[in-house]
Amino acid sequence: MINRRNFLTTVALGTASAAFLSACGQSSSSSKTGSAENPVTITYTWWGNDDRAERTRKAIALFESKNPDVKVNGNFTDFAGYWQKRATEAAGGGLPDVMQWDLSYLRDYGQRNQLLDLGTVKINTDAFDKSLLPSGQIRGKTYGIPTSTNAFAVYYDPAKLKAMGIAEPDGTWNYKEFNSFLAEVGQKGNGTLFGGTDYTGVWWMFNIWLRQNNIQAFTDEGKLGFSKDDLKKWWNTTAQLRGTSAIVGEDKTTQLLPKSPFGSNVTATEVTWDNFMAGYLGDSGAKELKLVPVPSDNSDNLGLFLKPSMLMVASAKTKYKDAAARFIDFMVNDPEVGQIFKTSRGVPASKTQRDGTTFEGTDKLVVDYEKSIEKYLKDAPEPPIVGFGTLESSFKRVSSDLNYGKLTIDGAADAWFKEAEDLIKQNA
């Protein structure tokens, strides 16, 4: 069972009262139970494609076979339409009982008391890395349980490096060495193969750099934890590479959409999440791709963490807390569920589920990478501030303008900070 942490902020009387009743074990409409003859029905929704839908329905059927007193009514949609539906339901007070969730939206709904505090129900988190659990917590309450994890890495194509006579990296590099590596690839690529994309345009890589320098991305009060000078220093990291063969141009990147330059065999490397492996192999047709850690100027602090690739949450207004909790516990811990999903949701976050799953081929590559960086992992960041999705998009857009030459580094930092501060003020 998850231990409730002390509240760090004052909560509304109604929320406190509800928590008191739950803690005292007083019966209410939110703790109804069923029987095999008369099961309760909970609703569950998720985003994804047909493959995830098929896997999820198998997991639901398995849960129902082991819990005959509960029926699960499942449905899914694509990611784009998912959040509009949740916003409409939240406005009408009718969120589904259990939901697949994204870290970017946890604070938006959690701090508005629209999600159930999972510290008030029985969900076993003993098999979870303790550095991961804070990512589902807000102000002392647990709103989300990770289903799976991913971590940042540098992808590279060993066959391309061998053809150019470049030694494979081992991942023990600082930013100067990493930039030199990108430049060497670009020089030997003869205009057809670039070193990589501009990694400074990726918010999560910036977040890792901040962590390497012991700087918070966001404060506990929901403000920016870094300065404009910090952002300028970050964007200056690749200043000498822009416009050279070390970094593929923004116009070329746009032309290749929806594929990435790495998946299109235009770059030899890419800095991103490790669970993109299957997609990159499929797009590029490469026989093999490898993963190594990101660069850092502090070899003892790579700034790496396990991020929930998705979480499980419940509605604060669910009538069936016990059933919802059992379903969440089953989906994140049961080894047979791990066998159903493999790494299609990311690497299983629960060791119980992970150890009960057989990983082969592409799945094994991702699992092995996360094992290799265990000693470097720090606590996962808490859920981002309200409106984070907009900030992440604007970070990418402003970085793109920087690479196009439309903005100077000073101008880019000014532009992004204004957008960020305006958004934070609106959501205060």
Side-chain angles (χ1 to χ4, degrees):
M1 181 174 181
I2 303 171
N3 294 321
R4 272 182 94 180
R5 296 187 178 184
N6 294 328
F7 291 112
L8 301 179
T9 58
T10 302
V11 294
L13 180 61
T15 303
S17 299
F20 176 78
L21 291 174
S22 176
C24 292
Q26 186 166 330
S27 63
S28 69
S29 62
S30 63
S31 58
K32 292 179 180 178
T33 57
S35 64
E37 295 74 26
N38 187 26
V40 299
T41 299
I42 61 173
T43 52
Y44 173 55
T45 187
W46 69 94
W47 71 83
N49 54 17
D50 290 339
D51 175 72
R52 180 173 294 166
E54 181 181 354
R55 294 173 191 263
T56 303
R57 288 177 181 133
K58 286 181 180 178
I60 288 173
L62 184 63
F63 171 80
E64 290 176 337
S65 72
K66 296 184 177 183
N67 297 269
D69 59 326
V70 181
K71 293 293 181 184
V72 180
N73 182 12
N75 66 82
F76 77 105
T77 186
D78 62 3
F79 189 83
Y82 189 84
W83 301 106
Q84 182 57 51
K85 287 190 175 184
R86 302 295 82 79
T88 301
E89 291 163 348
L95 285 170
D97 295 296
V98 182
M99 296 160 280
Q100 180 177 292
W101 212 252
D102 186 79
L103 186 64
S104 297
Y105 293 88
L106 194 68
R107 191 175 295 276
D108 299 51
Y109 287 76
Q111 71 180 30
R112 292 170 182 160
N113 300 317
Q114 292 168 329
L115 301 180
L116 177 66
D117 176 4
L118 299 178
T120 63
V121 293
K122 292 183 180 180
I123 299 174
N124 191 339
T125 59
D126 292 346
F128 286 73
D129 190 313
K130 301 310 176 188
S131 71
L132 181 64
L133 294 176
S135 61
Q137 298 167 348
I138 301 170
R139 296 173 180 172
K141 293 184 179 182
T142 296
Y143 290 108
I145 304 295
T147 63
S148 44
T149 63
N150 52 12
F152 240 63
V154 178
Y155 281 84
Y156 71 89
D157 185 329
K160 289 183 173 64
L161 297 185
K162 183 177 181 180
M164 292 184 290
I166 298 175
E168 291 186 34
D170 61 8
T172 57
W173 44 17
N174 58 34
Y175 284 95
K176 182 178 180 180
E177 290 167 339
F178 182 53
N179 287 352
S180 295
F181 172 80
L182 296 178
E184 183 182 6
V185 172
Q187 289 168 359
K188 294 183 177 179
N190 297 320
T192 60
L193 186 69
F194 295 82
T197 52
D198 186 354
Y199 58 87
T200 65
V202 181
W203 164 266
W204 285 107
M205 190 59 213
F206 174 52
N207 187 291
I208 287 170
W209 178 82
L210 290 173
R211 291 163 66 92
Q212 291 171 352
N213 288 277
N214 300 309
I215 301 170
Q216 278 186 296
F218 304 109
T219 68
D220 294 338
E221 294 75 33
K223 307 294 185 182
L224 296 178
F226 57 93
S227 68
K228 196 179 291 186
D229 284 341
D230 292 327
L231 182 55
K232 290 178 184 178
K233 184 176 180 181
W234 172 244
W235 274 332
N236 261 309
T237 304
T238 55
Q240 293 183 336
L241 302 184
R242 296 187 185 106
T244 74
S245 57
I247 291 178
V248 63
E250 198 69 22
D251 53 345
K252 182 69 172 178
T253 300
T254 302
Q255 291 170 9
L256 295 170
L257 291 173
K259 285 187 177 183
S260 67
F262 187 63
S264 301
N265 293 304
V266 171
T267 62
T269 70
E270 184 58 86
V271 182
T272 190
W273 299 108
D274 59 10
N275 64 328
F276 290 178
M277 176 68 78
Y280 283 147
L281 283 169
D283 286 346
S284 67
K287 292 183 178 179
E288 180 186 26
L289 297 175
K290 292 186 178 181
L291 298 165
V292 291
V294 299
S296 176
D297 290 333
N298 180 351
S299 60
D300 294 325
N301 180 10
L302 302 191
L304 292 172
F305 56 89
L306 295 180
K307 173 183 173 291
S309 47
M310 57 191 70
L311 307 104
M312 295 283 282
V313 304
S315 168
K317 295 185 177 181
T318 180
K319 295 179 180 179
Y320 309 112
K321 284 186 179 181
D322 173 69
R326 273 193 284 154
F327 181 60
I328 291 174
D329 187 275
F330 180 81
M331 291 291 279
V332 300
N333 281 310
D334 191 272
E336 290 183 77
V337 173
Q339 281 290 88
I340 290 171
F341 284 100
K342 301 287 188 177
T343 62
S344 66
R345 299 187 300 181
V347 177
S350 162
K351 188 176 187 299
T352 303
Q353 193 170 87
R354 195 164 59 245
D355 289 350
T357 304
T358 303
F359 300 106
E360 299 174 339
T362 302
D363 293 319
K364 189 175 185 301
L365 289 174
V366 179
V367 173
D368 286 349
Y369 171 70
E370 291 194 8
K371 285 182 179 178
S372 75
I373 60 172
E374 282 180 349
K375 65 180 179 180
Y376 300 111
L377 296 174
K378 305 292 185 182
D379 284 358
E382 291 191 356
I385 62 174
V386 174
F388 170 73
T390 300
L391 287 185
E392 186 177 10
S393 296
S394 67
F395 192 88
K396 177 62 179 174
R397 174 173 44 78
V398 172
S399 297
S400 176
D401 287 343
L402 177 61
N403 276 299
Y404 268 122
K406 296 178 181 179
L407 291 171
T408 62
I409 289 176
D410 285 354
D414 288 342
W416 189 83
F417 254 74
K418 184 179 187 310
E419 288 189 40
E421 289 171 346
D422 286 348
L423 182 70
I424 290 170
K425 191 178 299 182
Q426 290 169 14
N427 290 304

